[in-house]
C-alpha cells in the first residue's frame, strides 16, 4: 500500500521551498526617512522578504502581508 520513493536533491527545485517568503514586523527607526515620514507614530509595519533576505514588500498590516504573499503564489512564514 505504501511505496518508498528515492528523490534526487534537486528534484524539488522550483517548487514549494523556492516559494517561501518571510513576514516580520519592522521597527520604524530601521526604515529610510522618506518612509518614516509617511507612517503614523506608533504604527507597526510588516515586511515580506524572500529567502535571500531581499525585501519584497512593506505593508501596514500583518494580515495584508500574508494575503499579498498568497496572492502572488508564495507561502508566507512568520518571523519574530
Amino acid at each position: 500500500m505504501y511505496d518508498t520513493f528515492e528523490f534526487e536533491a534537486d528534484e524539488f527545485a522550483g517548487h514549494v521551498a523556492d516559494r517561501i517568503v518571510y513576514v516580520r514586523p519592522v521597527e520604524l527607526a530601521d526604515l529610510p526617512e522618506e518612509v518614516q515620514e509617511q507612517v503614523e507614530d506608533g504604527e507597526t509595519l510588516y515586511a515580506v522578504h524572500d529567502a535571500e533576505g531581499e525585501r519584497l514588500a512593506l505593508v501596514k498590516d500583518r494580515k495584508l502581508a500574508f494575503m499579498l504573499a498568497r496572492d502572488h503564489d508564495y507561502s508566507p512564514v512568520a518571523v519574530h
Side-chain angles (χ1 to χ4, degrees), residues 5-80:
F5 294 96
E6 297 289 327
F7 292 103
E8 297 296 320
D10 64 345
E11 192 164 345
F12 288 104
H15 290 78
V16 175
D18 294 336
R19 302 301 297 175
I20 293 175
V21 292
Y22 302 92
V23 176
R24 69 176 187 87
V26 178
E27 294 290 330
L28 192 57
D30 294 338
L31 298 173
E33 277 188 39
E34 59 271 8
V35 175
Q36 291 181 27
E37 293 169 357
Q38 299 175 30
V39 179
E40 296 177 19
D41 289 337
E43 188 173 25
T44 301
L45 297 180
Y46 291 87
V48 180
H49 293 267
D50 66 11
E52 286 78 37
E54 181 180 350
R55 183 180 296 156
L56 304 175
L58 186 63
V59 296
K60 288 185 168 191
D61 183 90
R62 183 178 184 273
K63 184 176 179 179
L64 178 61
F66 276 78
M67 288 175 29
L68 179 68
R70 289 184 184 116
D71 283 349
H72 288 86
D73 298 321
Y74 285 98
S75 297
V77 177
V79 178
H80 303 284

